[in-house]
Amino acid sequence: MRLDVVSIFPDYFAPLGLSLVGKAIAAGTVDLAVHDLRTWTHDRHHTTDDTPYGGGAGMVMKPEPWGEALDALEAASPLPMTIVVPTPAGRPFTQAMAYELAARERLVFACGRYEGIDQRVIDHCRERYDVVEVSLGDYVLNGGEVASLAVIEAVVRLLPGVIGNPDSLLEESHSTGNEQLLEYPNYTKPPVWRDRAVPEVLLSGNHALIAKWRRERAMERTRERRPDLLGEDFS
Ligand code: SAM
């Protein structure tokens, strides 16, 4: 998979060289390129923002550098581009969306700052590419970088070969293999720690009983913490 990220703070993406994503890049499963939007500015101050039409507080990202950046990225590879635009006004990011994005050949992350990117850039992109506006949650970050990092990590771990044991993807929270429930609680050695024993059933070796116990705990947790996942109301 090819990943391009465009940001005025490319240094935000240095941690992608670590851990599983870093290994996926080293193994060639992921081809990552991080671009500084200011490359596509032409004034002495490398300006990427201007005052909003209609007035009001804050600045808006100018369309020209974004237009040039996306033209240059399109010309750099024949792979079809899916433009991922992090915005609090986007679709809430879910595991299902992560799977959807993991099936694409090339993702281009457009990281907004200030009050966001001039709307015409998004409208123009929609005519040329697939565009996914994605929200990390109902709160406001300073920029699209942290949201892009989260989406990249969630997507890359789904690519074949990235997670050592692919079964762990089936059993975890929000996965279809887990009926989209929250995951059951996990335990490891020692069997007793600070007077707290691991639930007896997990030491029984009886796989059917263990599976039953885990499903019950998953259901219990989901009902308690996220009844909306079961189609129930929060009370
Ligand atoms: N004026 C925008 C609004 O009220 O919707 C918020 C702009 S925010 C300060 C700057 C940038 O941070 C956004 O353009 C977006 O890229 C990113 N951002 C902020 N909150 C986000 C969220 N919840 N999910 C995804 N991206 C977010």
Side-chain angles (χ1 to χ4, degrees):
M1 167 179 266
R2 163 92 185 184
L3 298 179
D4 290 281
V5 180
V6 184
S7 162
I8 58 170
F9 293 115
D11 291 350
Y12 256 96
F13 297 91
L16 290 177
L18 304 173
S19 185
L20 290 178
V21 179
K23 283 186 187 158
I25 294 168
T29 309
V30 171
D31 176 15
L32 171 75
V34 180
H35 312 272
D36 187 342
L37 179 67
R38 296 191 200 278
T39 308
W40 292 283
T41 57
H42 303 287
D43 63 309
R44 203 157 54 91
H45 301 291
H46 301 289
T47 311
T48 56
D49 61 310
D50 208 334
T51 52
Y53 276 123
M59 301 293 271
V60 176
M61 292 194 106
K62 291 163 68 59
E64 301 95 321
W66 279 108
E68 285 190 34
L70 294 168
D71 289 348
L73 295 187
E74 184 181 353
S77 160
L79 295 175
M81 305 203 299
T82 296
I83 314 292
V84 182
V85 185
T87 161
R91 267 167 71 196
F93 188 56
T94 61
Q95 188 68 2
M97 276 171 85
Y99 273 104
E100 227 180 88
L101 294 176
R104 311 289 172 106
E105 289 177 275
R106 185 180 188 196
L107 303 179
V108 175
F109 289 83
C111 301
R113 280 267 151 181
Y114 317 113
E115 296 308 319
I117 304 171
D118 187 303
Q119 182 60 38
R120 290 168 294 180
V121 174
I122 317 301
D123 297 342
H124 184 59
C125 277
R126 283 200 189 284
E127 288 169 10
R128 300 163 68 185
Y129 320 110
D130 219 357
V131 176
V132 182
E133 291 185 84
V134 56
S135 168
L136 217 59
D138 292 343
Y139 45 83
V140 178
L141 301 164
N142 287 334
E145 289 76 12
V146 167
S148 295
L149 282 168
V151 174
I152 289 171
E153 183 157 311
V155 167
V156 169
R157 66 193 294 280
L158 300 179
L159 300 177
V162 172
I163 297 275
N165 180 354
D167 282 353
S168 38
L169 293 178
L170 296 177
E171 293 225 341
E172 63 195 357
S173 298
H174 307 293
S175 75
T176 43
N178 190 34
E179 303 169 71
Q180 297 179 332
L181 301 174
L182 302 181
E183 196 181 58
Y184 47 79
N186 288 294
Y187 300 87
T188 186
K189 297 177 195 69
V192 180
W193 177 77
R194 296 192 179 180
D195 295 334
R196 290 166 188 271
V198 168
E200 199 64 41
V201 62
L202 298 179
L203 310 176
S204 69
N206 183 329
H207 296 296
L209 264 187
I210 292 171
K212 180 171 175 291
W213 180 89
R214 284 179 165 167
R215 189 179 180 284
E216 285 168 359
R217 297 294 79 71
M219 188 58 89
E220 194 173 85
R221 264 191 168 181
T222 308
R223 180 153 287 130
E224 187 183 294
R225 300 176 187 186
R226 293 291 307 278
D228 55 308
L229 296 176
L230 299 169
E232 296 170 7
D233 288 339
F234 277 107
S235 51

